[in-house]
Amino acid sequence: MAVSPSSDVTRMRLDPEAIAAVDRSDMLADVVGLPEHLRDALWKIESADLQPWDSPGGLVVAGMGGSAVGGALARAMLGDHASRPLLASRQYGLPAWTTPDTTILCASYSGDTEETLACYEAAGALGATRVAVTSGGRLAELARADGVPVIPVAGGFQPRAAVAYMTVAALEVAWLCGAGPRMGAEIDVAADHLEQLVIAWGAASAEDSEAKTLARALYDSVPVIAGSGLTTPIAYRWKTQFNENAKMPAFTHELPELCHNEVVGWQEAPALGRFAAVFLDDSDTHPRVKRRIALTRELIGEQATGSFVAETRGHTAVERVLSLVLLGDLVSLYAAVLRGTDPTPVDVLVTLKQRLAGDA
Ligand code: F6R
């Protein structure tokens, strides 16, 4: 049976004190630390002192969950400036087309994710150039023993909170291996831009700031999040942040494809539960996709508990992507607070990993 919204919760304040009462491990500090993490990530990569090399086969970022998303976001940021294939791969193995000419960036915050370790081995067997980005674990051990460069990541985060580190590592390795231009200056500018957005949407922002308003609109529905082009991987980041921070089911799809199937599925939505639609838009979205967003919102308006558009902010692709990453991270964190659930722990995920480890 669908649970209806409680107006008490909807009216609940989202001020620093109310947030801290639920956000017991202070995930908020890590979310609003995004600008600082970007600068630290650049510095950490610089101090790893990697020299450029040529990878005609492009770059595969092999990782899972919060560690893989950096590869997908980096791909969106590079857009048409990517001169070689760049793919985030979330599998036990490498894509079939991978050759010794491909660089494999093995991204694992913990360094102990079995899928990523399998890719590390597979890349070694293939003779491909490997780089690791990690805070430690087995991946750091293996890489050091094999003489594979390790880009360090600051410790003490939930992997998903290290998104800036993983994204910057993917961008920098893309540049180093010849898959794209250097984005260091854009990253610095984006960090300054994000500081303004932290003020606009952070804990001390107005109760009707965009982040708090969206959280109030979404915390008691299943968010169905749509992206297109540059916003497609951001939609996936929103979904996973709703899953892990707010412990809510959430789903994602992309335009224009969803206009050919998902739009029909909304017909029976009210009979099944509470579903809200979120469309992530960008200044560069294809005009026909913008038209499709407007029409889809009109056509599903009666079936959704609400339909919302969130737009990227900023000029460069790096700024625009990160602006919506920050917004989604904050919205999901505020949704967790409204649901009274601590955003940080991911107990089921830990249990699953432990049970898998027991099989070994
Ligand atoms: C937890 C999280 C997860 C992990 C994933 C892979 O905060 O975001 O999605 O990122 O389980 O683990 P790592 O990142 O340690 O390789």
Side-chain angles (χ1 to χ4, degrees):
M1 205 207 324
V3 182
S4 351
S6 143
S7 57
D8 287 353
V9 174
T10 311
R11 280 198 298 265
M12 180 183 154
R13 287 188 68 78
L14 282 167
D15 55 30
E17 211 184 12
I19 295 167
V22 180
D23 181 20
R24 289 181 285 280
S25 316
D26 203 6
M27 174 64 86
L28 179 67
D30 294 343
V31 169
V32 299
L34 190 62
E36 206 38 57
H37 299 173
L38 290 170
R39 296 187 188 106
D40 187 41
L42 276 177
W43 182 83
K44 283 198 159 58
I45 294 172
E46 221 164 275
S47 46
D49 199 25
L50 301 179
Q51 297 307 311
W53 65 95
D54 191 36
S55 234
L59 173 65
V60 171
V61 180
M64 300 303 300
S67 292
V69 72
L73 296 174
R75 179 68 195 86
M77 289 169 178
L78 285 169
D80 293 345
H81 300 289
S83 44
R84 288 171 177 169
L86 196 175
L87 178 86
S89 179
R90 302 163 168 104
Q91 305 286 340
Y92 276 94
L94 298 171
W97 48 262
T98 315
T99 68
D101 279 343
T102 313
T103 291
I104 314 297
L105 174 63
C106 298
S108 170
Y109 184 80
S110 63
D112 288 323
T113 297
E114 63 178 37
E115 297 92 321
T116 315
L117 290 170
C119 290
Y120 176 87
E121 295 296 344
L126 193 65
T129 303
R130 293 179 289 185
V131 180
V133 53
T134 182
S135 69
R138 183 88 186 116
L139 182 60
E141 266 170 39
L142 289 170
R144 292 209 170 96
D146 295 338
V148 167
V150 176
I151 298 172
V153 182
F157 293 124
Q158 272 290 324
R160 63 190 182 278
V163 60
Y165 289 91
M166 294 302 177
T167 306
V168 172
L171 283 173
E172 288 282 287
V173 172
W175 165 67
L176 283 161
C177 76
R182 188 160 211 190
M183 305 296 271
E186 280 87 344
I187 295 166
D188 264 331
V189 170
D192 294 345
H193 179 239
L194 285 166
E195 268 168 4
Q196 303 305 312
L197 297 178
V198 165
I199 295 168
W201 299 330
S205 68
E207 284 299 311
D208 64 351
S209 71
E210 186 176 357
K212 293 181 182 177
T213 303
L214 267 174
R216 287 201 177 84
L218 296 175
Y219 81 94
D220 60 353
S221 293
V222 175
V224 181
I225 305 148
S228 182
L230 173 131
T231 65
T232 298
I234 314 173
Y236 188 68
R237 169 71 176 181
W238 278 52
K239 168 216 158 24
T240 59
Q241 289 292 73
F242 268 103
N243 296 152
E244 294 179 73
N245 288 341
K247 282 72 176 164
M248 291 165 58
F251 299 94
T252 183
H253 203 350
E254 63 183 306
L255 290 127
E257 174 67 12
L258 74 77
C259 298
H260 299 270
N261 35 65
E262 190 176 273
V263 67
V264 187
W266 281 91
Q267 190 177 309
E268 289 297 313
L272 295 167
R274 297 176 52 81
F275 296 88
V278 183
F279 297 88
L280 303 186
D281 202 359
D282 177 54
S283 49
D284 209 26
T285 301
H286 192 291
R288 295 299 286 167
V289 169
K290 285 193 181 278
R291 176 81 179 121
R292 282 171 185 274
I293 292 177
L295 281 174
T296 305
R297 292 185 71 200
E298 236 176 87
L299 293 168
I300 66 169
E302 301 276 293
Q303 285 82 41
T305 56
S307 114
F308 308 91
V309 176
E311 306 224 17
T312 56
R313 307 286 209 281
H315 299 291
T316 68
V318 178
E319 282 178 316
R320 280 154 38 224
V321 168
L322 290 171
S323 68
L324 269 194
V325 168
L326 176 69
L327 183 64
D329 286 7
L330 284 167
V331 171
S332 62
L333 187 140
Y334 296 152
V337 172
L338 293 169
R339 300 201 63 82
T341 180
D342 186 348
T344 299
V346 279
D347 295 345
V348 183
L349 206 148
V350 173
T351 305
L352 187 69
K353 287 186 184 185
Q354 281 167 349
R355 293 212 191 151
L356 279 162
D359 296 345

